[in-house]
């Protein structure tokens, strides 16, 4: 076992094109560090519907240039096998974007070299830019595929590789498995041609086209008066968001200066995710000092949008489900037509808003790779702060255009002497108070997640929080409207619970929703108290049932 591990490590070292990871791996081999080598060579990063994501470092279980070159070569082989022309001026175009994380620019350059070596055309965005710009560029440029090098809101030590096909949507099965098979078929990196030149670095024309497209997000002549505090959380959103806000005629956002510049070390936050505790503290401090109408945050690659409002004497983040409902109601009032869609883990309130407006509504599996593929989509969202408000422009979540739309709504309400919270109250009275929460358990040992899922399957709960479970579904079997996925859904009398392993992090996620009827605005405080009690009881009972 020891000899085999060392042999695999030395074989990897012999092929590694990067001096930094070569040195790192050589030290581990020289030190005979079998524990660390086993962690890095115990398998390979799995290419799935999220592409690749993992910790930077040497070896097949880490993100590095060797892994990226193999992934790019597998994608190129898949494209050619599926009829993408190669060689000459008619070759298929692959457009490549990247964020400001460690090694992102290197991974983008390697991808461009591999595509060029495979006889395809490659074009790289001019600098680190938001993921939605890449998603837009695929369709705008008529590309056959796109790659975004990003780990989104993961910790600083991580990076990732997200793949889109020519429709501008992220890959879904069976494309992910077919690309993975092409990656596995690569015997040696020496078999992958990587010319030193031959690809194109795009200029700002594609960014200008993206910004011009944002005009379609807002209603002509709508109020543009809401004042904002904005944080980019050390990511790449600042310049594009400021340009979009200036173009729209909104007041210039007040920046959280400590988090405004791209910084791959994310020095002011433990996790660069607006949902994580403490991530919004600096933004709230800025808001207390400047008293804006709302606070907006993007995650590091700016495909997500967080919104905070003043609630009483202080500021609080709105839940993704609250923002999702607000944007939906705003679009309905503007006369939007088309399908409203969301993932199954998001609030059922969207379905009620769409139903009352006489609009079609669909549920999908988790992830915008599914939401973006809904036929006739007009608006889609999921609770993890992702909103697609302009599917004709970007078929993915887009934190820039979502920020524009929520600021327009805040401006409309401001002209009426009202706030986002007032509109949420109206929705609760009209449709019932839809309260959501999450029970999320991060683990070191992934087997704990499998054990919890197995325990729930073997002994499904008959009731939770004193509410009878009226229907228990094992989603691995699929449903009439959903393909199979690793998840469990419980329908209760006045509540809903979904349990699933995270697709991008070592977490078990439980999504909770309760619906409390409200007869009038005066009944809202009591309804909120009841909802909080139910959600707390759901968390407790579900923890016991799952053994977590």
């Amino acid at each position: 076992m020891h000899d085999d591990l060392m042999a695999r490590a030395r074989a990897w070292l012999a092929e590694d094109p990067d001096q930094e990871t070569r040195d790192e791996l050589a030290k581990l081999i020289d030190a005979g560090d079998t524990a660390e080598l086993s962690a890095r060579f115990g398998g390979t990063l799995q290419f799935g519907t999220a592409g690749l994501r993992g910790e930077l470092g040497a070896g097949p279980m880490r993100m590095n240039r060797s892994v990226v070159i193999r992934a790019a070569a597998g994608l190129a082989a898949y494209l050619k096998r599926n009829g993408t022309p190669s060689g000459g001026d008619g070759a298929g175009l692959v457009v490549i974007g990247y964020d400001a994380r460690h090694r992102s620019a290197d991974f983008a350059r390697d991808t461009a070299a591999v595509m060029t070596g495979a006889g395809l055309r490659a074009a790289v965005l001019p600098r680190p830019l938001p993921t939605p710009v890449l998603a837009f560029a695929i369709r705008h440029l008529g590309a056959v595929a796109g790659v975004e090098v990003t780990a989104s809101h993961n910790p600083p030590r991580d990076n990732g590789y997200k793949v889109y096909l020519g429709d501008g949507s992220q890959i879904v099965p069976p494309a992910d498995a077919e690309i993975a098979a092409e990656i596995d078929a690569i015997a040696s990196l020496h078999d992958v041609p990587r010319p030193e030149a031959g690809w194109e670095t795009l200029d700002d024309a594609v960014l200008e086209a993206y910004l011009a497209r944002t005009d379609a997000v807002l209603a002509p002549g709508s109020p543009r008066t809401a004042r904002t505090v904005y944080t980019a959380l050390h990511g790449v959103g600042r310049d594009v968001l400021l340009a979009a806000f200036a173009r729209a005629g909104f007041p210039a956002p007040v920046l959280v200066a400590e988090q405004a510049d791209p910084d791959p070390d994310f020095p002011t936050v433990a996790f660069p995710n607006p949902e994580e505790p403490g991530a919004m503290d600096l933004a709230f401090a800025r808001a207390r000092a400047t008293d804006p109408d709302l606070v907006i945050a993007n995650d590091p690659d700016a495909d997500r949008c967080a919104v905070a409002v003043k609630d009483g004497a202080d500021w609080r983040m709105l839940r993704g489900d609250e923002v999702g409902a607000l944007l939906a109601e705003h679009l309905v009032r503007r006369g939007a037509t088309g399908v409203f869609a969301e993932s199954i883990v998001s609030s059922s309130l969207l379905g009620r808003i769409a139903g009352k407006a006489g609009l079609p509504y669909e549920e999908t599996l988790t992830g915008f790779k599914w939401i973006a593929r809904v036929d006739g989509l007009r608006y889609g969202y999921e609770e993890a702060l992702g909103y697609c408000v302009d599917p004709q422009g970007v078929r993915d979540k887009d934190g820039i255009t979502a920020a524009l739309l929520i600021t327009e709504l805040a401006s409309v309400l401001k002209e009426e002497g009202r706030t986002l919270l007032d509109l949420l109250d109206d929705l609760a009275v009209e449709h019932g108070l839809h309260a959501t929460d999450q029970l999320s358990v991060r683990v070191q040992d992934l087997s704990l997640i499998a054990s919890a899922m197995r325990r729930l399957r073997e002994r499904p709960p008959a009731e939770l929080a004193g509410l009878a479970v009226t229907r228990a579904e094992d989603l691995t079997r699929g449903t009439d409207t959903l393909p199979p996925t690793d998840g469990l859904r419980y329908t209760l009398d006045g509540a809903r619970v979904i349990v699933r392993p995270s697709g991008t992090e070592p977490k078990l996620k439980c999504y909770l929703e309760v619906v409390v009827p409200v007869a009038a605005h005066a009944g809202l405080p009591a309804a909120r108290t009841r909802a909080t009690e139910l959600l707390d009881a759901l968390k407790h009972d579900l923890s016991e049932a799952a053994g977590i």
Side-chain angles (χ1 to χ4, degrees), residues 464 488-490 492 495-499 511-513 538 542:
L464 296 166
L488 300 165
R489 178 164 61 181
Y490 304 111
L492 299 90
R496 183 216 65 200
V497 173
I498 293 175
V499 185
Y511 302 85
L512 319 173
E513 179 178 42
L538 281 174
L542 192 60

Side-chain angles (χ1 to χ4, degrees), residues 130-314:
T131 294
V133 177
L134 180 276
F136 168 83
I138 295 166
R139 299 177 71 206
H140 178 69
L141 298 173
V144 297
V147 170
E148 176 71 16
V149 181
T150 181
S152 189
H153 55 274
N154 274 38
R157 64 180 181 272
D158 289 0
N159 213 324
Y161 199 81
K162 186 183 290 189
V163 176
Y164 298 75
L165 294 180
D167 62 357
S169 300
Q170 297 175 50
I171 54 169
V172 295
D176 55 345
E178 292 173 10
I179 295 170
E182 297 287 359
I183 295 170
D184 290 343
I186 296 161
S188 168
L189 286 191
H190 299 312
D191 299 334
V192 181
R194 288 184 292 122
E196 293 292 321
W199 59 89
E200 177 186 0
T201 299
L202 296 167
D203 59 21
D204 277 350
V206 69
L207 176 58
E208 290 303 320
Y210 169 84
L211 289 169
R213 176 68 206 182
T214 64
D215 294 348
V217 173
L218 304 178
S222 63
R224 312 280 168 93
T225 56
R227 296 179 304 108
T228 56
V229 161
Y230 172 72
T231 176
L233 283 185
H234 304 293
V236 298
R238 177 194 60 196
D239 293 348
V240 178
L241 182 132
L242 290 180
F245 270 55
R247 183 183 182 93
F250 288 114
V254 174
L255 298 178
V256 179
E258 303 95 323
Q259 298 173 333
D261 295 329
D263 187 331
D265 293 320
F266 305 104
T268 67
V269 290
F271 274 86
N273 178 354
E275 294 179 294
E276 292 286 343
M280 296 289 285
D281 287 356
L282 288 172
F284 290 164
R286 198 81 183 100
R288 292 183 198 108
T290 57
D291 196 30
D293 297 299
L294 69 166
V295 174
I296 289 173
N298 287 136
D299 67 339
D301 69 327
D303 63 351
R304 298 171 194 244
C305 177
V307 179
V309 295
K310 197 168 188 180
D311 189 2
D314 210 350

Side-chain angles (χ1 to χ4, degrees), residues 331-332 334-340 357-360 376-379 391:
L331 289 171
V332 164
R334 277 181 27 183
T337 59
V339 181
F340 280 30
L359 295 174
L377 181 68
R378 174 58 185 89
Y379 169 67

Side-chain angles (χ1 to χ4, degrees), residues 88 100 114 136 148 187 208 300 361 397 422 448 450 496 500 540:
V114 170
F136 168 83
E148 176 71 16
E208 290 303 320
Y361 162 78
K397 54 186 177 291
D422 292 326
L448 296 175
R496 183 216 65 200
R500 60 178 281 271
H540 175 270

